[in-house]
């Protein structure tokens, strides 16, 4: 799974609350730690579904 965050992100922090292992807020924007996605897929999807501006893109492969 790959997680990417678009520049629509408003830094609200919802993703880092839902999936703190993967997401953190850096300079008012979310960043995802690619190395932590494995094992946290469900919370990543949850974060994407709850992003208010639809900035989190999930690619399954
Ligand atoms: S939930 Fe969406 S808008 Fe909020 S910080 Fe995460 S990526 Fe950005």
């Amino acid at each position: 799974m790959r997680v990417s965050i678009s520049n629509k992100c408003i830094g609200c922090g919802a993703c880092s609350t839902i999936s703190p292992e993967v997401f953190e807020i850096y300079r008012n924007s979310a960043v995802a730690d690619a190395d932590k996605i494995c094992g946290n897929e469900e919370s990543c999807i949850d974060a994407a579904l709850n992003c208010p501006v639809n900035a989190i893109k999930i690619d399954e492969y």
Side-chain angles (χ1 to χ4, degrees):
M1 176 189 277
R2 185 166 54 209
V3 175
S4 49
I5 298 162
S6 82
N7 59 9
K8 288 191 294 184
C9 173
I10 55 172
C12 73
C15 54
S16 59
T17 299
I18 294 166
S19 184
E21 298 83 2
V22 176
F23 296 90
E24 68 174 340
I25 305 299
Y26 178 73
R27 294 189 178 172
N28 294 324
S29 188
V31 288
D33 184 343
D35 294 336
K36 302 279 175 59
I37 294 167
C38 189
N40 291 304
E41 288 87 348
E42 261 185 49
S43 68
C44 286
I45 292 167
D46 225 28
L49 291 173
N50 283 284
C51 175
V53 293
N54 223 2
I56 303 172
K57 186 168 173 267
I58 305 268
D59 290 310
E60 313 251 9
Y61 55 81

